[in-house]
Amino acid sequence: MSAPVLAPPAISIRGLRKSFADHQVLRGVDLDVAPGSITALLGSNGAGKTTVVRILATLLRADAGSAEVLGHDVTTAAGQVRESISLTGQFTAVDDILSGRENLVLMAKLRHLPDPGAVADDLLSRFSLTEAGGRKVSTFSGGMRRRLDIAMSLVGDPAVIFLDEPTTGLDPAARIEVWSTIEDLAGRGTTVLLTTQYLQEAEQLADRIAILHEGSILVEGTLAELRALLPPATVTYVEKQPSLEEIFFALTGRPAGHGKGES
């Protein structure tokens, strides 16, 4: 019986280095991301997460090392990489004056897609924004704006999407809305590289977690593999108190208005 053939990684990074003046940000990063998976690049502010993403998105050139996206080198085949990816940054890139639908139609036109209106309507439906689609984005809540931002990133169906700290500044309900959106992306086969400084976010979403610290990957693996690095937990019996999250949603309800055009 022959061994199964493993698919090549969607993202492959080897020995990536980058400095700004005398400050060495990346010190030899190695990482593989499997197709259709969510990999979290977890690290504190200044760890180098955004620098990695900007290099992969061809917005920044590395000083040394190599990186490939879907087999395309980010330096020598930047055009092919850009055709295969999308990037959602830390701050939403939507036009407040336009409606949600108009933002999506504009993006579809910029990508020269044949039926921009149909593309916009499909994405509004996928991201539970149909009822709010005709409203100006300036009236959207934070969670709705971020969902629209991610929807715009998916115009043209990119195979790989980079999400750079996508829930920064969002309240707990909006964060859960975005988590659901990200899980849906991977469920549809999109490869997701997610940068975050929130441990719970990485634990909730990621198939694999890479901890980036001071420009280097300290460890990478599944959550179970990372847990196995520490001594086994001791069993103690304590009275369980409700978490702050449980209190919050008990008082306010589940993430209210998801898909109902809340503001």
Side-chain angles (χ1 to χ4, degrees), residues 2 17 29 35 40 42 50 62 100 120 131 139 156 161 165 176 187 201 225 248 254:
S2 60
R17 294 181 177 273
V29 173
L42 177 65
T50 297
E131 292 185 19
T139 69
I161 183 169
E165 302 201 25
I176 288 177
E201 187 159 272
E225 289 169 345
F248 179 88
R254 296 296 298 170

Side-chain angles (χ1 to χ4, degrees), residues 19-240:
S19 296
F20 297 98
D22 295 330
H23 179 51
Q24 192 172 20
V25 178
L26 302 181
R27 304 169 182 266
V29 173
D30 297 308
L31 182 66
D32 285 335
V33 176
S37 69
I38 302 176
T39 294
L41 194 57
L42 177 65
S44 58
N45 285 334
K49 304 185 300 297
T50 297
T51 300
V52 170
V53 168
R54 286 176 60 82
I55 291 172
L56 291 172
T58 75
L59 300 175
L60 192 65
R61 186 182 290 266
D63 296 334
S66 64
E68 294 184 351
V69 177
L70 300 179
H72 304 300
D73 187 277
V74 299
T75 300
T76 61
Q80 290 95 319
V81 171
R82 293 186 193 113
E83 291 175 358
S84 307
I85 68 168
S86 191
L87 167 63
T88 297
Q90 296 181 25
F91 305 100
T92 55
V94 294
D95 191 320
D96 285 351
I97 298 176
L98 300 179
S99 70
R101 188 177 188 275
E102 287 169 340
N103 269 277
L104 290 165
V105 167
L106 176 60
M107 182 60 69
K109 288 181 178 178
L110 290 173
R111 289 186 176 268
H112 305 291
L113 299 182
D115 192 345
V119 171
D121 290 338
D122 176 64
L123 286 167
L124 287 171
S125 176
R126 278 180 57 185
F127 286 83
S128 301
L129 290 170
T130 298
E131 292 185 19
R135 287 167 38 192
K136 287 187 176 182
V137 173
S138 59
T139 69
F140 282 21
S141 68
M144 292 169 67
R145 289 170 64 92
R146 180 51 92 180
R147 296 206 312 272
L148 177 63
D149 196 32
I150 295 174
M152 289 178 65
S153 298
L154 292 181
V155 172
D157 292 321
V160 177
I161 183 169
F162 302 118
L163 300 176
D164 191 15
E165 302 201 25
T167 62
T168 296
L170 297 184
D171 62 42
R175 182 169 291 135
I176 288 177
E177 289 177 3
V178 174
W179 286 357
S180 176
T181 298
I182 295 170
E183 289 172 332
D184 180 65
L185 291 180
R188 292 171 177 263
T190 306
T191 301
V192 178
L193 179 61
L194 164 78
T195 75
T196 183
Q197 57 182 311
Y198 298 125
L199 279 69
Q200 184 186 12
E201 187 159 272
E203 186 173 350
Q204 172 75 23
L205 294 175
D207 300 302
R208 300 186 71 82
I209 300 167
I211 298 177
L212 183 66
H213 181 65
E214 296 182 350
S216 299
I217 301 289
L218 295 183
V219 66
E220 185 269 336
T222 65
L223 181 59
E225 289 169 345
L226 299 189
R227 283 175 171 161
L229 298 174
L230 298 181
T234 57
V235 178
T236 58
Y237 294 92
V238 297
E239 180 180 350
K240 183 182 183 298

